[in-house]
Amino acid sequence: METKAYKKEFSSIGIRMLISTVLILLLQVGAQKLALSVFPQWEDNFTILLAVTMLPLYLLGFPITFLLMRNKEVPAIEKHPMKAGQLVIAFLMLYGIMIIGNLIGLAFTAGIGVLKGAPVQNAMLNVITGGSLWVTAIFTVLCAPIYEEFLFRKLICDKVIKYGEGCAVVLSGLVFGLFHMNFNQFFYAFFLGCFLAFLYVKTGNLKYTILLHMILNFFGSVLGSIILTLDQTKSYTTIISAVYSLCICAIGIAGIVLLIIKRHELILEPGEIVLEKGQRFKTLILNPGMILYCLVLFLIMLAQAFLV
């Protein structure tokens, strides 16, 4: 009977996340279709397309999701401060994780590309990199980390931490990865989500994960875009690009090395409710709500990969 009650709670999370995600998708697609039907000339303006796509997400989608996922009388996670050196190490490890996840994603999408006979497109990436740098920075460096960390780390982790840190970390990472709705981002988003959730359950403080998320997005979306917009005919552009590439490689390698060295320190503590071995995956994932959420999002990602 207890196992059924636990499954019901995880199923409820899956159902509410599915409703929220589908609503967000409809809002974004609807807003874009409406805007382009009235102003067809906007189709090639990536800055406006980005704003039209993101504003419904942050003004309506996320607030509605917060209401659906809000926690009632959940115990607060004990707070532990992080020192500056620990934050630097965490960022390096986070970047190393992103590199690993990105490589897996590239290999996976390359395989799909072979099957479909054409490369897998990431439409959102094209919009982000092709639009105004300032608009991109506002949405990816300011809005995304704050909204996403509040939902995927605080609301979800606070809700399931009673089942143990492992459950909170895995669920946070899985829901976060699927929420991106494309295979290009799923793998690194899943790994990043798990590590950010680990940091949150260990510190109980969202400001650390928001800060790290902001820095990571700045490196990926803003700094990378700045490099790409430099005049390629100038000699200094080659030097800057080379230095940037070397720095990225160094950060990634350092992060991977730190992950290997410190892997034994990544310990996940059990919660007040202990799920028996053999029942954890069934309880966490094999319930109606989470199965439906995973299936629908997986089908959306398949459609995005093969049809776009």
PDB file of all heavy atoms in Angstrom, residues 124-141:
ATOM      1  N   MET A 124      15.750  25.942 -32.490  1.00  0.00           N
ATOM      2  CA  MET A 124      15.905  26.944 -31.450  1.00  0.00           C
ATOM      3  C   MET A 124      17.329  27.473 -31.388  1.00  0.00           C
ATOM      4  O   MET A 124      17.553  28.654 -31.158  1.00  0.00           O
ATOM      5  CB  MET A 124      15.494  26.359 -30.092  1.00  0.00           C
ATOM      6  CG  MET A 124      15.593  27.341 -28.933  1.00  0.00           C
ATOM      7  SD  MET A 124      14.733  28.916 -29.218  1.00  0.00           S
ATOM      8  CE  MET A 124      13.042  28.356 -29.316  1.00  0.00           C
ATOM      9  N   LEU A 125      18.314  26.603 -31.590  1.00  0.00           N
ATOM     10  CA  LEU A 125      19.708  27.037 -31.583  1.00  0.00           C
ATOM     11  C   LEU A 125      19.950  28.051 -32.693  1.00  0.00           C
ATOM     12  O   LEU A 125      20.661  29.039 -32.498  1.00  0.00           O
ATOM     13  CB  LEU A 125      20.638  25.833 -31.743  1.00  0.00           C
ATOM     14  CG  LEU A 125      22.141  26.139 -31.770  1.00  0.00           C
ATOM     15  CD1 LEU A 125      22.578  26.756 -30.445  1.00  0.00           C
ATOM     16  CD2 LEU A 125      22.944  24.879 -32.065  1.00  0.00           C
ATOM     17  N   ASN A 126      19.372  27.804 -33.864  1.00  0.00           N
ATOM     18  CA  ASN A 126      19.536  28.741 -34.979  1.00  0.00           C
ATOM     19  C   ASN A 126      18.949  30.106 -34.645  1.00  0.00           C
ATOM     20  O   ASN A 126      19.522  31.145 -34.988  1.00  0.00           O
ATOM     21  CB  ASN A 126      18.857  28.179 -36.235  1.00  0.00           C
ATOM     22  CG  ASN A 126      19.528  26.914 -36.741  1.00  0.00           C
ATOM     23  OD1 ASN A 126      20.717  26.705 -36.500  1.00  0.00           O
ATOM     24  ND2 ASN A 126      18.774  26.071 -37.427  1.00  0.00           N
ATOM     25  N   VAL A 127      17.799  30.100 -33.959  1.00  0.00           N
ATOM     26  CA  VAL A 127      17.160  31.368 -33.578  1.00  0.00           C
ATOM     27  C   VAL A 127      18.007  32.104 -32.551  1.00  0.00           C
ATOM     28  O   VAL A 127      18.223  33.316 -32.637  1.00  0.00           O
ATOM     29  CB  VAL A 127      15.739  31.108 -33.023  1.00  0.00           C
ATOM     30  CG1 VAL A 127      15.153  32.394 -32.448  1.00  0.00           C
ATOM     31  CG2 VAL A 127      14.838  30.565 -34.126  1.00  0.00           C
ATOM     32  N   ILE A 128      18.511  31.359 -31.545  1.00  0.00           N
ATOM     33  CA  ILE A 128      19.300  31.962 -30.472  1.00  0.00           C
ATOM     34  C   ILE A 128      20.589  32.566 -31.000  1.00  0.00           C
ATOM     35  O   ILE A 128      20.966  33.688 -30.658  1.00  0.00           O
ATOM     36  CB  ILE A 128      19.601  30.927 -29.374  1.00  0.00           C
ATOM     37  CG1 ILE A 128      18.307  30.594 -28.611  1.00  0.00           C
ATOM     38  CG2 ILE A 128      20.666  31.445 -28.404  1.00  0.00           C
ATOM     39  CD1 ILE A 128      18.470  29.504 -27.583  1.00  0.00           C
ATOM     40  N   THR A 129      21.302  31.822 -31.856  1.00  0.00           N
ATOM     41  CA  THR A 129      22.592  32.295 -32.362  1.00  0.00           C
ATOM     42  C   THR A 129      22.441  33.345 -33.457  1.00  0.00           C
ATOM     43  O   THR A 129      23.379  34.092 -33.736  1.00  0.00           O
ATOM     44  CB  THR A 129      23.422  31.126 -32.897  1.00  0.00           C
ATOM     45  OG1 THR A 129      22.657  30.424 -33.911  1.00  0.00           O
ATOM     46  CG2 THR A 129      23.775  30.154 -31.783  1.00  0.00           C
ATOM     47  N   GLY A 130      21.252  33.407 -34.080  1.00  0.00           N
ATOM     48  CA  GLY A 130      21.068  34.345 -35.183  1.00  0.00           C
ATOM     49  C   GLY A 130      20.442  35.660 -34.785  1.00  0.00           C
ATOM     50  O   GLY A 130      20.369  36.575 -35.592  1.00  0.00           O
ATOM     51  N   GLY A 131      19.984  35.758 -33.533  1.00  0.00           N
ATOM     52  CA  GLY A 131      19.308  36.969 -33.083  1.00  0.00           C
ATOM     53  C   GLY A 131      20.225  37.963 -32.411  1.00  0.00           C
ATOM     54  O   GLY A 131      21.450  37.784 -32.374  1.00  0.00           O
ATOM     55  N   SER A 132      19.616  39.008 -31.868  1.00  0.00           N
ATOM     56  CA  SER A 132      20.367  40.041 -31.158  1.00  0.00           C
ATOM     57  C   SER A 132      21.070  39.448 -29.944  1.00  0.00           C
ATOM     58  O   SER A 132      20.491  38.669 -29.183  1.00  0.00           O
ATOM     59  CB  SER A 132      19.415  41.150 -30.710  1.00  0.00           C
ATOM     60  OG  SER A 132      20.007  41.963 -29.732  1.00  0.00           O
ATOM     61  N   LEU A 133      22.317  39.858 -29.762  1.00  0.00           N
ATOM     62  CA  LEU A 133      23.105  39.344 -28.648  1.00  0.00           C
ATOM     63  C   LEU A 133      22.490  39.738 -27.311  1.00  0.00           C
ATOM     64  O   LEU A 133      22.467  38.952 -26.357  1.00  0.00           O
ATOM     65  CB  LEU A 133      24.541  39.869 -28.746  1.00  0.00           C
ATOM     66  CG  LEU A 133      25.575  39.217 -27.833  1.00  0.00           C
ATOM     67  CD1 LEU A 133      25.711  37.742 -28.131  1.00  0.00           C
ATOM     68  CD2 LEU A 133      26.915  39.925 -27.989  1.00  0.00           C
ATOM     69  N   TRP A 134      21.964  40.961 -27.237  1.00  0.00           N
ATOM     70  CA  TRP A 134      21.372  41.449 -25.981  1.00  0.00           C
ATOM     71  C   TRP A 134      20.093  40.701 -25.645  1.00  0.00           C
ATOM     72  O   TRP A 134      19.853  40.348 -24.491  1.00  0.00           O
ATOM     73  CB  TRP A 134      21.099  42.951 -26.074  1.00  0.00           C
ATOM     74  CG  TRP A 134      22.344  43.767 -26.049  1.00  0.00           C
ATOM     75  CD1 TRP A 134      22.919  44.435 -27.098  1.00  0.00           C
ATOM     76  CD2 TRP A 134      23.199  43.988 -24.923  1.00  0.00           C
ATOM     77  NE1 TRP A 134      24.077  45.054 -26.699  1.00  0.00           N
ATOM     78  CE2 TRP A 134      24.280  44.806 -25.370  1.00  0.00           C
ATOM     79  CE3 TRP A 134      23.176  43.583 -23.596  1.00  0.00           C
ATOM     80  CZ2 TRP A 134      25.305  45.215 -24.527  1.00  0.00           C
ATOM     81  CZ3 TRP A 134      24.199  44.004 -22.754  1.00  0.00           C
ATOM     82  CH2 TRP A 134      25.233  44.798 -23.211  1.00  0.00           C
ATOM     83  N   VAL A 135      19.269  40.446 -26.646  1.00  0.00           N
ATOM     84  CA  VAL A 135      18.029  39.696 -26.411  1.00  0.00           C
ATOM     85  C   VAL A 135      18.354  38.266 -25.997  1.00  0.00           C
ATOM     86  O   VAL A 135      17.742  37.712 -25.076  1.00  0.00           O
ATOM     87  CB  VAL A 135      17.142  39.703 -27.678  1.00  0.00           C
ATOM     88  CG1 VAL A 135      15.910  38.814 -27.485  1.00  0.00           C
ATOM     89  CG2 VAL A 135      16.723  41.128 -28.012  1.00  0.00           C
ATOM     90  N   THR A 136      19.337  37.673 -26.661  1.00  0.00           N
ATOM     91  CA  THR A 136      19.773  36.320 -26.301  1.00  0.00           C
ATOM     92  C   THR A 136      20.263  36.276 -24.864  1.00  0.00           C
ATOM     93  O   THR A 136      19.936  35.358 -24.099  1.00  0.00           O
ATOM     94  CB  THR A 136      20.902  35.855 -27.247  1.00  0.00           C
ATOM     95  OG1 THR A 136      20.401  35.789 -28.580  1.00  0.00           O
ATOM     96  CG2 THR A 136      21.406  34.474 -26.841  1.00  0.00           C
ATOM     97  N   ALA A 137      21.043  37.282 -24.476  1.00  0.00           N
ATOM     98  CA  ALA A 137      21.587  37.328 -23.117  1.00  0.00           C
ATOM     99  C   ALA A 137      20.477  37.451 -22.079  1.00  0.00           C
ATOM    100  O   ALA A 137      20.514  36.799 -21.031  1.00  0.00           O
ATOM    101  CB  ALA A 137      22.563  38.497 -22.989  1.00  0.00           C
ATOM    102  N   ILE A 138      19.482  38.281 -22.369  1.00  0.00           N
ATOM    103  CA  ILE A 138      18.378  38.470 -21.417  1.00  0.00           C
ATOM    104  C   ILE A 138      17.655  37.154 -21.165  1.00  0.00           C
ATOM    105  O   ILE A 138      17.379  36.773 -20.021  1.00  0.00           O
ATOM    106  CB  ILE A 138      17.401  39.537 -21.934  1.00  0.00           C
ATOM    107  CG1 ILE A 138      18.053  40.930 -21.862  1.00  0.00           C
ATOM    108  CG2 ILE A 138      16.104  39.523 -21.119  1.00  0.00           C
ATOM    109  CD1 ILE A 138      17.259  42.020 -22.543  1.00  0.00           C
ATOM    110  N   PHE A 139      17.349  36.431 -22.242  1.00  0.00           N
ATOM    111  CA  PHE A 139      16.563  35.209 -22.098  1.00  0.00           C
ATOM    112  C   PHE A 139      17.389  34.029 -21.596  1.00  0.00           C
ATOM    113  O   PHE A 139      16.924  33.252 -20.761  1.00  0.00           O
ATOM    114  CB  PHE A 139      15.905  34.842 -23.432  1.00  0.00           C
ATOM    115  CG  PHE A 139      14.743  35.730 -23.790  1.00  0.00           C
ATOM    116  CD1 PHE A 139      14.722  36.434 -24.979  1.00  0.00           C
ATOM    117  CD2 PHE A 139      13.662  35.867 -22.930  1.00  0.00           C
ATOM    118  CE1 PHE A 139      13.654  37.251 -25.310  1.00  0.00           C
ATOM    119  CE2 PHE A 139      12.586  36.685 -23.243  1.00  0.00           C
ATOM    120  CZ  PHE A 139      12.587  37.384 -24.429  1.00  0.00           C
ATOM    121  N   THR A 140      18.621  33.883 -22.115  1.00  0.00           N
ATOM    122  CA  THR A 140      19.399  32.677 -21.780  1.00  0.00           C
ATOM    123  C   THR A 140      20.260  32.833 -20.527  1.00  0.00           C
ATOM    124  O   THR A 140      20.494  31.852 -19.818  1.00  0.00           O
ATOM    125  CB  THR A 140      20.306  32.274 -22.957  1.00  0.00           C
ATOM    126  OG1 THR A 140      21.255  33.319 -23.221  1.00  0.00           O
ATOM    127  CG2 THR A 140      19.483  31.987 -24.203  1.00  0.00           C
ATOM    128  N   VAL A 141      20.740  34.047 -20.265  1.00  0.00           N
ATOM    129  CA  VAL A 141      21.636  34.234 -19.121  1.00  0.00           C
ATOM    130  C   VAL A 141      20.898  34.720 -17.874  1.00  0.00           C
ATOM    131  O   VAL A 141      21.295  34.396 -16.755  1.00  0.00           O
ATOM    132  CB  VAL A 141      22.775  35.222 -19.485  1.00  0.00           C
ATOM    133  CG1 VAL A 141      23.724  35.418 -18.300  1.00  0.00           C
ATOM    134  CG2 VAL A 141      23.557  34.700 -20.688  1.00  0.00           C
TER     135      VAL A 141
END
